[in-house]
């Protein structure tokens, strides 16, 4: 699918989010990458084969997790 040189990471690759942006719709909360991955603003993803990647937001800096 990707025509870039060097080729962008595939949708199955761990670094799939590094692929080039093809379409961006911030008002709808999603973007399409050239490898066919739909990225959502909540950091979730939909892969071209229909698999779903759950949101994976990192913790903000300065946050401390404590046990109750």
């Amino acid at each position: 699918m990707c025509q870039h040189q060097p080729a962008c990471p595939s949708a199955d690759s761990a670094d799939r989010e590094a692929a080039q942006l093809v379409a961006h719709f911030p008002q709808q909360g999603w973007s399409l990458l050239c490898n066919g991955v739909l990225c959502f603003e909540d950091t979730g993803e939909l892969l071209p084969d229909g698999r779903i990647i759950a949101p994976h937001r990192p913790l903000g800096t300065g946050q401390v997790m404590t046990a109750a």
Side-chain angles (χ1 to χ4, degrees):
M1 185 183 272
C2 177
Q3 303 298 317
H4 300 108
Q5 291 300 324
C8 290
S10 73
D12 293 326
S13 158
D15 62 344
R16 67 181 150 263
E17 295 170 3
Q20 294 287 320
L21 190 64
V22 174
H24 181 61
F25 293 91
Q27 68 279 14
Q28 295 177 2
W30 62 273
S31 298
L32 175 64
L33 304 179
C34 72
N35 56 8
V37 174
L38 280 173
C39 295
F40 297 95
E41 68 181 13
D42 69 353
T43 69
E45 300 171 5
L46 179 61
L47 303 184
D49 63 4
R51 286 183 290 155
I52 296 169
I53 305 298
H56 46 278
R57 296 182 187 142
L59 290 176
T61 58
Q63 283 187 307
V64 178
M65 299 291 293
T66 59

